[in-house]
Amino acid sequence: MNLPLSGYRILSAEQYGAGPYGTMFLAQLGAEVIKIEAPKGGDTARAVGPHFLRPNESIFFQTFNLNKKSITLDLNSKEGQQVLHRLVTSADAVANNLRGDLPERMGLTYDALQAANPAIVCAHLSAYGRDNGRARWPGYDYLMQAEAGFLAMTGEPDAPPTRFGLSIVDFMTGTMMAVGLLAALLDAQRSGLGRDIDVDLLSAAVHQTSYPAMWYLNEGDVTGRSPRSAHPSVTPSQMFRTADGWIFAMAQLPKFWRVLVERLGRAELADDPRFATAESRLENRELLTELLDQTFMQRPTAHWLELLAGHMPVAPVNQLDQALDNPFLRDRGMIDTVSHPDRADLRVLANPIRVDGATLPNRAAPLLGADTDTVLAEAGFGSGEIEQLKAKGVI
């Protein structure tokens, strides 16, 4: 494929989830993403269980590092910094997701690298930012969900605060970093000058509070938890019990409300004064839920999907295995297979972005340091220099 980022080179001092998730999008879109890892152990994600391809090569690591190259380099050493500066001369961007105080100390900022390449873009993803009293604080996704109010808005009203089942803040922040990096890269092409781009987990999480934030900031309205994972202000838009599980139906618009009750054989509810308007339905949500449950519980989820799907927004409430075994995902090409040295048919998720209607190609994440010799040789290092760097533990 003629991928849109082909020809761009991005160095990334990254680990674990958020940063690698963002740079993987760039790699899948064609950029040459060179992952810089510590010579001993590499990215900590390589050791995250419970499933491994070989010792210290986890399936978890594959999740965030498809299509990349890996080099080992000790950025804390003088020699490692010299290698970095030589690599930067042929790079377009340098990304990292280190603790906020570390990029400056490890020479990953624009100030540190502009002499080697004035057009270099330096993208930083940290927990709390690099320019405040929390710069040295470690931080992870779950903490951001807690502090930004996600837990307080998730789950049943009478249950403890509940986090998302996934590290959603990591994924959102990594994507935001990629967007910022690309924007700065476009400007660097025009101006010849790079810059620093920053995004942090907490700010990204707060930004995603979206319309509930606007409601509070302007009206003092604090959005809490709604039963059945319901929309805070529109009903029926929630889960309903069926004979064998749950279904999520979203009558967000008046036309979908009428479709719902008519196809359920409950057309009389549309004219019931208790449910005739969006406001009255919200006011009587508990009663409406009870009445619709009575109908939904008469048949299994599959029956209601056949009746409603395509006519209004509706979906089954799947377990993870059901979600991934969905034939529609196969039809969409969302499940891919790559060849890894330890598993020839490693199944991975495809990137959701399509180019010219085609799914982006994937290859397995690299073994630790698999590309060190090649990348350094391309940068002009001789075999003797490479061996000396290995002997000193720099690579």
Side-chain angles (χ1 to χ4, degrees):
M1 292 180 65
N2 180 22
L3 296 172
L5 294 182
S6 295
Y8 289 94
R9 170 175 278 194
I10 298 165
L11 309 175
S12 190
E14 59 182 28
Q15 59 182 341
Y16 214 71
Y21 182 81
T23 57
M24 184 173 70
F25 269 75
L26 305 177
Q28 290 172 317
L29 285 164
E32 180 189 23
V33 175
I34 300 173
K35 187 178 181 75
I36 299 174
E37 303 186 66
K40 294 182 179 179
D43 186 341
T44 55
R46 292 184 182 273
V48 174
H51 304 291
F52 292 87
L53 298 167
R54 66 172 67 177
N56 234 37
E57 288 294 338
S58 70
I59 290 181
F60 180 91
F61 178 79
Q62 294 291 322
T63 307
F64 305 105
N65 293 286
L66 300 174
N67 292 30
K68 299 179 185 178
K69 296 181 178 179
S70 169
I71 67 169
T72 53
L73 184 62
D74 180 7
L75 292 173
N76 290 306
S77 68
K78 178 181 177 181
E79 294 90 342
Q81 284 293 312
Q82 292 171 345
V83 172
L84 173 65
H85 280 244
R86 286 177 66 172
L87 294 177
V88 164
T89 61
S90 62
D92 298 288
V94 177
N96 77 84
N97 68 320
L98 303 177
R99 200 178 66 201
D101 62 316
L102 294 179
E104 184 173 3
R105 195 176 87 189
M106 299 179 71
L108 295 170
T109 63
Y110 184 69
D111 280 348
L113 297 174
Q114 64 175 319
N117 182 352
I120 196 71
V121 169
C122 298
H124 312 278
L125 188 161
S126 59
Y128 301 102
R130 297 187 299 128
D131 57 354
N132 58 73
R134 293 192 184 187
R136 292 176 56 85
W137 289 21
Y140 292 97
D141 178 291
Y142 294 0
L143 303 182
M144 309 308 157
Q145 291 193 36
E147 187 167 358
F150 286 25
L151 273 69
M153 290 190 286
T154 305
E156 291 298 309
D158 57 351
T162 304
R163 69 167 177 85
F164 276 55
L166 301 168
S167 298
I168 196 69
V169 177
D170 276 350
F171 308 148
M172 292 187 301
T173 312
T175 305
M176 292 177 189
M177 181 191 73
V179 171
L181 185 155
L182 290 172
L185 198 58
L186 286 173
D187 183 65
Q189 289 183 316
R190 292 184 300 221
S191 67
L193 297 175
R195 64 179 70 202
D196 289 302
I197 292 289
D198 280 87
V199 63
D200 64 271
L201 294 174
L202 183 57
S203 295
V206 170
H207 189 266
Q208 294 302 301
T209 58
S210 185
Y211 57 87
M214 295 290 285
W215 291 345
Y216 170 71
L217 292 172
N218 294 283
E219 303 296 337
D221 181 2
V222 179
T223 300
R225 285 175 279 173
S226 301
R228 302 284 186 89
S229 297
H231 190 282
S233 63
V234 178
T235 196
S237 182
Q238 63 184 70
M239 293 191 299
F240 293 98
R241 291 184 183 274
T242 66
D244 62 351
W246 297 88
I247 193 169
F248 210 114
M250 302 183 70
Q252 299 288 106
L253 302 176
K255 66 177 181 179
F256 292 139
W257 160 242
R258 186 162 290 276
V259 168
L260 174 64
V261 294
E262 288 180 354
R263 297 191 76 81
L264 291 183
R266 300 298 303 273
E268 77 280 1
L269 294 177
D271 299 317
D272 188 315
R274 297 169 297 178
F275 314 123
T277 67
E279 292 77 16
S280 62
R281 288 194 292 275
L282 184 61
E283 184 178 343
N284 294 287
R285 177 174 7 217
E286 186 174 348
L287 174 60
L288 181 56
T289 297
E290 182 181 341
L291 293 174
L292 292 177
D293 267 355
Q294 292 172 5
T295 299
F296 275 116
M297 290 178 67
Q298 294 175 14
R299 298 290 185 89
T301 300
H303 169 82
W304 300 117
L305 287 174
E306 184 176 356
L307 190 71
L308 297 172
H311 300 282
M312 65 166 292
V314 64
V317 180
N318 286 331
Q319 298 292 327
L320 181 62
D321 56 345
Q322 295 172 310
L324 294 174
D325 290 338
N326 186 345
F328 184 71
L329 294 186
R330 290 197 301 271
D331 295 342
R332 290 292 293 158
M334 278 303 300
I335 308 298
D336 197 2
T337 302
V338 297
S339 180
H340 184 274
D342 299 307
R343 187 173 297 182
D345 56 351
L346 182 67
R347 298 177 76 198
V348 300
L349 298 175
N351 191 294
I353 296 173
R354 290 172 177 254
V355 174
D356 297 325
T359 302
L360 298 175
N362 279 320
R363 66 175 186 273
L367 298 175
L368 178 61
D371 305 287
T372 303
D373 288 5
T374 301
V375 170
L376 293 189
E378 290 174 352
F381 288 85
S383 57
E385 290 179 285
I386 293 174
E387 290 306 315
Q388 288 180 354
L389 290 170
K390 287 180 181 177
K392 292 181 179 180
V394 177
I395 60 174

